[in-house]
Amino acid sequence: MNPVTYHRAASVAQALESSAAPGHRLLGGGTNLVDLMRKGIERPTGLIDVTQLSETIALAEDGSLLVGAAARNSAVAAHPLVRSRTPMLARAILAGASAQVRNMATIGGNLMQRTRCLYFQDEAGSRCNKRDPGSGCDAYGGFNRYHAVIGGSPACIAVHPSDMCVALAAFDARVRVAGASGTRAIALVDFHRLPGDRPDLETLLEPGEVIEAVEIPAFAGPSAYRKVRDRASYAFALVSVAAGLVIEEGRVADIRIAFGGIAPKPWRAFRAEAALRGAAVTQAAIDAAMAAEFADAAPLPGNAFKIDLAGRTLSALLAELSGSDR
């Protein structure tokens, strides 16, 4: 096993300074990174513990909910501000992992977690462009039940595993990052990259940057999260849906939809939202919205069922939010 140094950063400035060294990685709860180190997929030479950075959960001046990157998932899911303002986020976090994992995992670490693709995890026996650029993608012609139906490429069809990020994408969340040149905010829907021909580049985070917080704007209507999986106990999503809905005079005044389990990043359904705004929440309207959203889908034999499953899950969730049985 490679020797690894360990340093605990007491401030963002210390984290930035320490992470500038080649081979150094930021460490939150370690629920993903340490596991990948054990498998030989990640081989850092140094770890910078950032769990002493901001754990703030509070309202910002503009009314957004501000969640520090070091906040534990369990603390976020249980916080009164989260439960009252963004219940969809609380539900997504609770659906994502066991209590033990939620007690360790941080918000920043959740944003940065890597795919659970079986071929990515199989360092010794499988080709994976995300792990070894240019080697190939065994998932493309292999067992792809859990893989992407939209947003992927011949180089990679791995899906992003986070439940929390699906909810954040639906809420127009922003990721606040700090670097040597100052701070910037990145829209959550842009933070994770699609694979194209470089699936090893997973986020817009630049080398030497540190996630400080997530900003979540307020949403006026009710919201909810629904996850479909092969087993009830903390499996990754086949399909998940986060949605918020505002109905005025029987028509959709505002709507937010994001899918998980279907794409290499949390998939904001902008086309479906546009199709549903101004419409009544009927099955015909939902079917038309799903057809628009998945017009560019490229399902494979093992995962084509996900498109229909996504539509049925969205239909059930919108029925819940609208109080309609259609």
Side-chain angles (χ1 to χ4, degrees), residues 67-210:
V67 180
R72 304 288 179 174
N73 284 9
S74 55
V76 176
H79 200 279
L81 280 174
V82 175
R83 288 182 170 270
S84 62
R85 291 169 57 91
T86 56
M88 170 169 61
L89 176 58
R91 286 176 61 170
I93 291 173
L94 292 172
S98 68
Q100 293 90 336
V101 171
R102 295 197 305 270
N103 286 339
M104 286 294 296
T106 64
I107 295 301
N110 197 311
L111 289 168
M112 295 299 294
Q113 67 177 301
R114 306 195 71 187
T115 184
R116 267 55 173 195
C117 170
L118 297 174
Y119 299 98
F120 171 76
Q121 300 278 335
D122 181 20
E123 192 271 340
S126 300
R127 298 177 303 161
C128 173
N129 288 317
K130 186 180 288 293
R131 190 184 64 241
D132 183 15
S135 64
C137 175
D138 280 346
Y140 204 80
F143 180 73
N144 44 52
R145 172 178 173 81
Y146 299 104
H147 290 75
V149 296
I150 195 167
S153 74
C156 183
I157 52 171
V159 298
H160 194 270
S162 174
D163 291 275
M164 180 197 80
C165 288
V166 179
L168 292 177
F171 271 129
D172 289 330
R174 302 178 294 269
V175 183
R176 183 192 294 174
V177 302
S181 58
T183 61
R184 63 186 178 122
I186 307 171
L188 192 284
V189 294
D190 298 324
F191 182 78
H192 300 97
R193 297 173 182 260
L194 292 179
D197 59 358
R198 288 297 307 273
D200 55 309
L201 301 178
E202 297 179 343
T203 74
L204 294 183
L205 203 66
E206 297 289 344
E209 287 187 319
V210 176

Side-chain angles (χ1 to χ4, degrees), residues 274-298:
L276 286 167
R277 285 194 182 95
V281 182
T282 65
Q283 190 59 55
I286 295 170
D287 290 345
M290 287 295 295
E293 189 61 48
F294 285 88
D296 298 328

Side-chain angles (χ1 to χ4, degrees), residues 88 169-172 219-223 241-248 251-259 268-282 285-286 289 314-315 317-319 321-322:
M88 170 169 61
F171 271 129
D172 289 330
F219 181 73
S223 64
V241 184
L245 183 66
V246 176
I247 299 287
E248 294 178 358
R251 301 275 173 175
V252 175
D254 196 6
I255 187 168
R256 311 289 175 83
I257 303 168
F259 289 102
R268 180 69 180 270
F270 288 114
R271 291 181 182 178
E273 291 175 1
L276 286 167
R277 285 194 182 95
V281 182
T282 65
I286 295 170
L314 175 62
S315 180
L317 194 58
L318 293 182
L321 292 172
S322 65

